[in-house]
Amino acid sequence: MIEEIESPGAARTDREQDQAGHRGWSPPTGAPTTLVLVRHGVTKHTAAKKFSGGLGGDNPPLSEEGLAQARAAADWLAGLGDRVDTVVASPVRRTRETAEVVADALGLPVEVEPGFAEMEFGDWDGLTFAEVAEQDPEGLDAWLGSLDVPPPGGESFREVERRVLGGLDRVLEQHPGRTVVVVSHVTPIKTLVAHTMGAPLDAVFRMELSPASVSVVSFYPDDKVPGGVRGSMRLYNTLPPGNGATLDPGRW
């Protein structure tokens, strides 16, 4: 990870520093709210590379492999101990099952946040990309060509973004200055990462996210930016090393 450094532009004017909000990669002052983002373990749909959405689809459970992945992630996160306020999960079965394993390792309850559920894929749920391309090529082209177009009976990326950021607002309000483990899905986690980085939403198409991987984002109070918080990317798409080590909070 890149360590915090001072900007080489030491001669910048006060106005330029005000516009930047902070210098270089140094975060604003104030206690951040940190989200440890965990993708759920694999299911039968994950293994078959099928569209698998939220509560509106097949809603499969974790497979045995997925449970093992959840346990590995939980063991790695166990070292966070009392730094974690709570474990938040989407209401979808595979995320709740993953969250329960993680929460048990941390000795915490699981809270449900509907905002962090996976995109609804509507008529495409349970189909592979190739099957959708064959059965609904026009719909697939439209979906891939616009963030505002949903799959038939599903949600668009913009709709998911609004829902996910609503969930983020609630977590930031309820757990200021604390660390929260959020167990979610590919689309919501990528959306949160893009938002943290101030990247356009279509950046989600340029990210890979492995099952049961861990990413970390922090949000610092900052009255110089819209919304009053500034995001900071700390860790992305990291898998437990599998050697009995625990995640070191000092890494972020």
Side-chain angles (χ1 to χ4, degrees):
M1 292 178 44
I2 300 175
E3 294 182 353
E4 295 172 7
I5 63 173
E6 287 293 320
S7 167
R12 290 192 303 178
T13 66
D14 290 343
R15 179 174 179 273
E16 288 171 333
Q17 292 186 23
D18 286 343
Q19 289 176 335
H22 62 278
R23 299 180 62 193
W25 287 278
S26 299
T29 58
T33 302
T34 296
L35 274 58
V36 179
L37 305 171
V38 182
R39 185 188 170 193
H40 61 81
V42 300
T43 71
K44 62 179 183 180
H45 282 353
T46 316
K49 300 187 183 301
K50 294 182 176 181
F51 285 98
S52 189
L55 296 173
D58 189 33
N59 201 13
L62 294 177
S63 64
E64 287 300 317
E65 180 185 5
L67 280 169
Q69 291 171 333
R71 294 187 190 106
D75 289 344
W76 197 41
L77 296 177
L80 295 179
D82 60 6
R83 293 175 63 101
V84 179
D85 240 16
T86 190
V87 176
V88 175
S90 104
V92 182
R93 183 175 181 180
R94 57 193 180 274
T95 42
R96 293 201 63 174
E97 290 177 347
T98 302
E100 286 164 4
V101 175
V102 173
D104 184 63
L106 291 168
L108 292 169
V110 176
E111 299 178 10
V112 174
E113 172 49 66
F116 295 144
E118 182 57 289
M119 171 185 282
E120 294 291 354
F121 293 108
D123 295 348
W124 299 348
D125 199 280
L127 300 177
T128 66
F129 192 91
E131 289 169 336
V132 172
E134 180 180 354
Q135 297 176 26
D136 187 13
E138 291 183 359
L140 183 60
D141 287 345
W143 180 64
L144 292 174
S146 174
L147 297 169
D148 296 301
V149 174
E155 293 178 290
S156 71
F157 282 96
R158 289 292 183 200
E159 289 172 321
V160 175
E161 179 185 42
R162 287 191 289 272
R163 174 164 58 73
V164 168
L165 296 186
L168 173 62
D169 287 343
R170 289 186 286 274
V171 168
L172 295 179
E173 181 180 358
Q174 294 165 10
H175 305 280
R178 297 290 295 170
T179 297
V180 177
V181 174
V182 174
V183 184
S184 188
H185 311 257
V186 168
T187 310
I189 292 175
K190 290 182 178 182
T191 298
L192 286 168
V193 169
H195 176 71
T196 300
M197 299 292 290
L201 183 58
D202 62 7
V204 300
F205 298 125
R206 298 171 177 83
M207 302 180 199
E208 295 289 335
L209 194 70
S210 303
S213 61
V214 175
S215 303
V216 180
V217 295
S218 293
F219 295 91
Y220 291 80
D222 189 343
D223 59 9
K224 297 178 182 177
V225 298
V229 292
R230 181 182 294 277
S232 176
M233 188 72 203
R234 318 306 289 178
L235 197 68
Y236 183 72
N237 195 31
T238 307
L239 293 173
N243 59 3
T246 55
L247 181 60
D248 179 10
R251 293 186 67 182
W252 69 74

